[in-house]
Amino acid sequence: MSAQIGAIVAAVGSVVREIFGRTLRAFAGVALAAMTLGGCTVPTGPLVGADPADAGARVAGVGYRSTIAPYTSLRPTTPTGWAEQNQRVTPSPKSGHEH
């Protein structure tokens, strides 16, 4: 039984090595061709707009806009009496309804 398993593993192994060998050689050939020919390509079209190497080229203006412009300080204020604060938030009494 182990001889049969050994023979099957050997047969499958040789097929796998052959396939990977061909695939690896093909991949290496394509990669080598791409790297060799990659440096020979020309630009596909002319530059659009101003030349980036021209120091005198006109550019859009630069402005400043604060990221915290509407900020107001929310630090605690001096404490007031609890009765005054309570009167400010108490609903106004309705006429005719006494408790």
Side-chain angles (χ1 to χ4, degrees):
M1 178 106 164
S2 65
Q4 281 183 324
I5 293 175
I8 292 171
V9 168
V12 170
S14 67
V15 171
V16 168
R17 279 191 295 275
E18 184 179 336
I19 291 172
F20 275 135
R22 287 182 188 172
T23 305
L24 185 60
R25 281 190 296 260
F27 177 73
V30 170
L32 181 64
M35 287 188 297
T36 303
L37 297 176
C40 299
T41 59
V42 294
T44 56
L47 293 174
V48 178
D51 184 13
D54 183 13
R58 294 183 55 165
V59 294
V62 178
Y64 174 75
R65 201 170 55 195
S66 175
T67 57
I68 58 168
Y71 173 76
T72 55
S73 177
L74 299 175
R75 290 186 179 249
T77 59
T78 56
T80 57
W82 64 269
E84 296 160 7
Q85 288 183 0
N86 208 14
Q87 289 299 324
R88 280 189 277 156
V89 296
T90 307
S92 61
K94 297 181 180 179
S95 62
H97 292 98
E98 292 286 328
H99 290 244

